[in-house]
Amino acid sequence: MELERSIDISRRQSKEHMSRITDLQDEVRHREHHISDLDKEVQHLHENINALTKELELKGKEILRVRSESNQQMRLHEQDLNKRLEKELDVMTADHLREKNIMRADFNKTNELLKEINAALQVSLEEMEEKYLMRESKPEDLQMIGELKAMLTERDQVIKKLLEDNKFYQLELVNRETNFNKVFNSSPTVGVINPLTKQKKKNNKSPTNRFVSVPNLSALESGGVGNGHPNRLDPIPNSPVHDIEFNSSKPLPQPVPPKEPKTFLRCQ
């Protein structure tokens, strides 16, 4: 029984092994078929790669040919453009020179015309200036000139009157000084104010006299003051009174007041 059981077990295992071998063989056949398909595909891809490589080489050669042709065409086109531009530039230069000559001729004509107009305007201006200088005086100008002349005449009279009054008062002043010196004292003592006294007082802080007498008046009196007379003051220059020698027995003339009152002119 054990043997039969083991034989059964071995038979089942053999069946399983056979079925497994069959499955594996099927899978191997399938794998081989797949490998053959892949080999065919690889071969087909190699053929495609070779074809593409050849096509790429052809395209590269064609590109080089097209590039060389395009460069040649570009050079030819550039040469044509340069020639055309040179022709256009020559035409534009000729047009510019022609227009420049025309404009220069127009400018010369305009300049000559302006010179003629300027000469005519200059002549007209000179004529107008001559007419302006030779024009007649306006009535209001003549009236103003007359008023100014009258005003100048009146002022001259006033100035003459003032000069006469000034001369009269000068003579009166000299007469009174002469009489005063003769009657009271012939050698007056004169004092002056020293403006530096206060400043010296501040600096030295010592009391000083603000009035300083003229030094050595006796020497001046002994030396003589004014026209060689020691007892007289200096006379007024060009005074007719001091040119006459004083006479004590003859009285001095009385001053004559002015005949007309002083008048002052007020100008507007």
Side-chain angles (χ1 to χ4, degrees):
M1 290 174 68
E2 289 179 359
L3 180 61
E4 288 178 357
R5 190 181 296 117
S6 61
I7 290 170
D8 290 333
I9 292 170
S10 62
R11 285 177 181 175
R12 283 196 297 270
Q13 289 180 353
S14 64
K15 287 180 180 179
E16 290 177 358
H17 288 159
M18 289 299 290
S19 62
R20 181 72 179 272
I21 288 169
T22 304
D23 293 333
L24 289 174
Q25 287 177 355
D26 293 335
E27 187 176 356
V28 167
R29 284 194 301 270
H30 180 70
R31 293 289 179 90
E32 289 176 355
H33 186 268
H34 183 66
I35 289 169
S36 63
D37 291 337
L38 290 175
D39 290 334
K40 291 178 181 179
E41 188 175 358
V42 168
Q43 187 177 1
H44 182 67
L45 289 174
H46 280 297
E47 291 176 356
N48 290 332
I49 288 170
N50 293 326
L52 290 173
T53 303
K54 292 178 180 179
E55 187 177 0
L56 182 62
E57 290 177 356
L58 292 175
K59 292 292 184 182
K61 291 178 181 180
E62 188 176 358
I63 288 170
L64 292 175
R65 183 177 58 79
V66 172
R67 182 179 293 176
S68 62
E69 291 178 357
S70 62
N71 289 329
Q72 187 176 2
Q73 290 178 0
M74 287 176 64
R75 284 195 296 270
L76 293 174
H77 186 64
E78 186 177 359
Q79 290 176 0
D80 294 337
L81 286 176
N82 289 328
K83 291 180 181 179
R84 190 181 302 172
L85 288 174
E86 287 178 358
K87 290 181 181 179
E88 292 179 357
L89 183 62
D90 293 336
V91 173
M92 291 177 66
T93 305
D95 294 337
H96 174 69
L97 291 174
R98 185 170 57 256
E99 291 178 358
K100 183 178 179 182
N101 293 327
I102 294 171
M103 291 177 66
R104 184 176 294 173
D106 293 338
F107 175 76
N108 293 328
K109 290 180 182 179
T110 307
N111 194 11
E112 294 294 332
L113 182 61
L114 289 175
K115 287 182 179 179
E116 292 177 359
I117 294 173
N118 190 13
L121 290 175
Q122 189 69 26
V123 173
S124 177
L125 179 62
E126 291 177 357
E127 291 178 356
M128 295 297 292
E129 287 181 352
E130 186 177 0
K131 288 181 181 180
Y132 179 76
L133 293 175
M134 299 300 294
R135 72 186 186 282
E136 296 180 358
S137 300
K138 295 181 180 180
E140 54 268 20
D141 294 339
L142 295 175
Q143 183 180 359
M144 184 179 291
I145 291 171
E147 292 177 357
L148 292 174
K149 286 183 179 180
M151 189 181 295
L152 287 175
T153 304
E154 187 175 358
R155 285 194 177 185
D156 290 338
Q157 293 177 359
V158 171
I159 291 171
K160 185 177 180 181
K161 183 67 176 176
L162 290 174
L163 291 175
E164 291 178 357
D165 293 343
N166 188 20
K167 184 177 180 181
F168 167 76
Y169 288 118
Q170 284 181 355
L171 294 175
E172 178 67 19
L173 180 62
V174 170
N175 188 9
R176 291 189 180 185
E177 284 183 357
T178 305
N179 291 331
F180 184 83
N181 292 334
K182 178 181 177 183
V183 173
F184 293 97
N185 189 7
S186 62
S187 59
T189 301
V190 182
V192 296
I193 299 175
N194 189 2
L196 301 177
T197 304
K198 188 174 182 180
Q199 185 176 0
K200 289 181 179 180
K201 183 176 181 181
K202 289 181 179 179
N203 294 332
N204 299 328
K205 295 182 179 180
S206 59
T208 55
N209 294 327
R210 295 181 62 184
F211 299 97
V212 180
S213 62
V214 176
N216 202 3
L217 288 175
S218 60
L220 293 174
E221 292 177 359
S222 62
V225 178
N227 292 331
H229 299 280
N231 295 328
R232 293 178 62 185
L233 297 174
D234 291 334
I236 298 174
N238 300 325
S239 177
V241 177
H242 291 83
D243 294 337
I244 305 172
E245 194 70 27
F246 179 72
N247 189 3
S248 59
S249 62
K250 185 178 179 180
L252 292 173
Q254 294 295 328
V256 180
K259 297 179 181 180
E260 296 179 0
K262 294 181 180 180
T263 59
F264 297 94
L265 178 62
R266 178 180 297 174
C267 62
Q268 295 181 355

